[in-house]
């Protein structure tokens, strides 16, 4: 067998190992059209190149690709290459500081080795796509890594946090999960001083440091639901509940998660929960959705809707 054929088969073996967590030798042999002995030889060739291929003996045993000390080249099929390239293009305008530049560098490398037929497809998708999401608040990538490791290792984190009044206080928390709305990043954690679950905006954190104090994980609310509720309710003076005569999924198309929460209701309708410091703004926001709606609470929002209706009626009658 020629060296070229052997190299091609070893690369196919690497691609198979990257495709799923574990393979039996016989399954790999069937995929490659060779014997189990050839598979074992090719595994040794990969190990010689620095790929940590682990073997498990016994019934049901097989091979799996472990994490190495350096990043190996990735072998992508057509669909994976297109998905990766499109994702990198979107990440180049993301909310993680420095990630945009890194995404562009990675995209340039991928574009250089991508076949021309795939390159044309990726550019067609990108050229026909725009995003409606405005620029978000950039977060330092090192901060994300620090918090992610603290969540993984269950260690407390200490930082200075800027409140809505502009003042800063030192906080010590036990982090659980980071949640992003696409425009902002939040951390759900237990505040040690208040012994309560809290939501913290990452862009308001300063001097973030992971401590060596480990904590025991405890029962906690669902992070996504908790952060969603916190960002749509807690910061505001008024909290409105409005029954919207439209399917929930339809309303969610117009209401970003950082603006309001959509709950299922009877007859296929939904209840929109949104907060604000100005009742007139809340009334306008609900009206511009374009659906029939009825105010459930507070009564002041119903009064604001009445004022808005009278103003619009007066505008329509003018001239």
């Amino acid at each position: 067998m020629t060296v070229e054929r052997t190299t091609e088969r070893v690369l196919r073996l690497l691609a198979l190992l990257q495709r799923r967590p574990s393979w039996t030798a016989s399954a790999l042999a069937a995929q490659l059209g060779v014997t189990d002995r050839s598979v074992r030889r090719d595994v040794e060739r990969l190990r010689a190149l620095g790929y940590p291929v682990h073997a498990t003996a016994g019934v049901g045993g097989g091979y799996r690709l472990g994490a190495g000390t350096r990043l190996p080249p990735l072998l992508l099929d057509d669909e994976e290459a297109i998905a990766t390239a499109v994702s990198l293009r979107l990440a180049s305008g993301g909310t993680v500081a420095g990630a945009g530049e890194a995404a562009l560098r990675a995209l340039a490398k991928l574009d250089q080795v991508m076949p021309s037929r795939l390159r044309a497809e990726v550019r067609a998708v990108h050229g026909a796509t725009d995003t409606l999401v405005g620029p978000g608040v950039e977060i330092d990538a090192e901060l994300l890594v620090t918090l992610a490791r603290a969540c993984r290792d269950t260690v407390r984190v200490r930082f200075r946090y800027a409140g809505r009044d502009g003042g800063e206080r030192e906080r010590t928390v036990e982090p659980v999960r980071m949640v992003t709305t696409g425009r902002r990043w939040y951390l759900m954690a237990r505040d040690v001083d208040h012994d309560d679950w809290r939501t913290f905006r990452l862009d308001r954190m300063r001097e973030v440091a992971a401590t060596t104090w480990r904590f025991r994980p405890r029962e906690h609310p669902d992070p996504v639901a908790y952060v969603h509720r916190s960002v749509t309710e807690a910061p505001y003076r008024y909290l409105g509940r409005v029954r919207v005569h439209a399917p929930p999924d339809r309303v969610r198309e117009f209401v970003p998660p950082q603006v309001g929460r959509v709950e299922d209701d009877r007859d296929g309708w939904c209840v929109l929960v949104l907060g604000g410091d100005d009742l007139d703004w809340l009334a306008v926001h609900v009206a511009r959705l374009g659906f029939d709606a009825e105010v459930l609470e507070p009564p002041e929002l119903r009064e604001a809707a009445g004022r808005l209706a009278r103003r619009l009626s007066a505008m329509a009658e003018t001239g």
Side-chain angles (χ1 to χ4, degrees), residues 136-210:
V137 179
E138 280 197 349
I139 302 299
D140 184 73
E142 186 176 347
L143 171 58
L144 292 178
V145 173
T146 298
L147 294 177
R149 287 174 177 169
C151 292
R152 180 196 64 191
D153 299 336
T154 61
V155 296
R156 289 181 175 179
V157 175
R158 186 177 296 115
F159 54 87
R160 298 193 63 80
Y161 192 71
R164 299 186 69 196
D165 58 359
E168 285 192 357
R169 290 182 51 198
E170 185 173 281
R171 314 294 284 267
T172 300
V173 304
E174 297 176 349
V176 174
R177 187 73 58 82
M178 287 184 291
V179 178
T180 177
T181 64
R183 292 175 56 85
R184 287 195 176 97
W185 287 79
Y186 299 88
L187 174 71
M188 176 187 158
R190 189 182 74 88
D191 190 308
V192 174
D193 295 330
H194 295 86
D195 192 22
D196 195 11
W197 299 107
R198 299 292 173 93
T199 298
F200 301 94
R201 275 176 47 176
L202 269 62
D203 58 296
R204 291 181 177 175
M205 294 180 177
R206 303 289 183 272
E207 302 173 16
V208 180

Side-chain angles (χ1 to χ4, degrees), residues 188-294:
M188 176 187 158
R190 189 182 74 88
D191 190 308
V192 174
D193 295 330
H194 295 86
D195 192 22
D196 195 11
W197 299 107
R198 299 292 173 93
T199 298
F200 301 94
R201 275 176 47 176
L202 269 62
D203 58 296
R204 291 181 177 175
M205 294 180 177
R206 303 289 183 272
E207 302 173 16
V208 180
T211 70
T212 57
W213 185 282
R214 296 183 65 90
F215 63 89
R216 179 175 297 178
R218 61 180 70 191
E219 291 290 331
H220 58 76
D222 176 75
V224 173
Y226 185 85
V227 170
H228 193 187
R229 183 179 297 274
S230 297
V231 300
T232 56
E233 297 182 10
Y236 301 109
R237 180 181 178 186
Y238 301 105
L239 181 64
R241 291 177 57 85
V242 180
R243 178 174 291 115
V244 182
H245 297 188
D249 290 342
R250 181 66 173 148
V251 177
R252 290 188 182 100
E253 295 178 7
F254 299 94
V255 181
Q258 66 270 20
V259 173
R261 189 175 74 254
V262 180
E263 301 174 347
D264 292 352
D265 195 35
R266 65 176 187 269
D267 301 325
W269 296 346
C270 63
V271 172
L272 173 61
V273 182
L274 70 170
D277 295 323
D278 185 277
L279 287 170
D280 290 339
W281 179 89
L282 290 179
V284 170
H285 189 80
V286 173
R288 67 191 298 268
L289 293 177
F291 303 115
D292 292 339
E294 54 183 301

Side-chain angles (χ1 to χ4, degrees), residues 314-319:
M315 289 174 58
E317 293 173 358
T318 302

